[in-house]
Amino acid sequence: MIGRLNHIAIAVPDLAAAARKYRDMLGASVSAPQALPEHGVTVVFVDTGNTKVELLEPLGTDSPIAKFLEKNPDGGMHHMCFEVEDIADAARLLQAQGARVLGDGQPKIGAHGLPVLFLHPKDFDGVLIELEERAL
Ligand code: CO
């Protein structure tokens, strides 16, 4: 069902500082910051060739990242994202096998303008999994 690893997401307390580290210390190509108010985050993408690293900073008062950073004040790995061909189909198959889709269970439009959903970390060995619909 899953295809390529699209990105690994790291929650960071200071996006500008994190973006500088990846660009200046690690010599990576880093995108401009993108505010995603419907997801409560501001993101930059670090292009590593075979995949991407998504750096996430809380945006707004009700950010899902804020709680994570309370527990992990230095930041930390937040989720990983796999590509799927048909997200509605994937959601149905996973739910039929007992996996929990977060929120109302419906895909939302994610950072790349494509439908995404999140799977409960307790169902995947403590890791939050994002699925993104993309032609494989
Ligand atoms: Co993501």
Side-chain angles (χ1 to χ4, degrees):
M1 177 198 296
I2 59 170
R4 277 172 17 109
L5 175 65
N6 184 275
H7 61 269
I8 291 174
I10 315 287
V12 302
D14 181 340
L15 188 61
R20 266 198 309 277
K21 270 183 275 190
Y22 276 84
R23 192 177 47 236
D24 300 341
M25 290 174 72
L26 297 173
S29 157
V30 179
S31 77
Q34 190 184 352
L36 300 171
E38 69 277 21
H39 293 278
V41 293
T42 305
V43 303
V44 304
F45 283 99
V46 180
D47 188 351
T48 64
N50 63 334
T51 189
K52 290 180 288 273
V53 176
E54 179 186 63
L55 303 175
L56 301 169
E57 180 185 63
L59 174 66
T61 49
D62 196 25
S63 173
I65 308 299
K67 213 184 237 171
F68 181 91
L69 283 171
E70 261 169 47
K71 285 186 216 149
N72 307 275
D74 296 330
M77 186 183 143
H78 186 263
H79 67 267
M80 53 184 186
C81 175
F82 295 106
E83 298 174 2
V84 295
E85 203 167 359
D86 182 329
I87 203 160
D89 213 41
R92 251 191 322 275
L93 281 166
L94 286 158
Q95 283 167 327
Q97 295 172 91
R100 287 165 286 180
V101 175
L102 297 188
D104 61 7
Q106 297 305 310
K108 281 191 195 173
I109 297 304
H112 306 112
L114 296 166
V116 300
L117 57 76
F118 288 90
L119 301 172
H120 202 296
K122 287 209 159 85
D123 297 335
F124 289 93
D125 311 291
V127 176
L128 177 62
I129 302 227
E130 178 180 18
L131 300 179
E132 180 176 89
E133 184 170 280
R134 209 167 256 260
L136 301 176

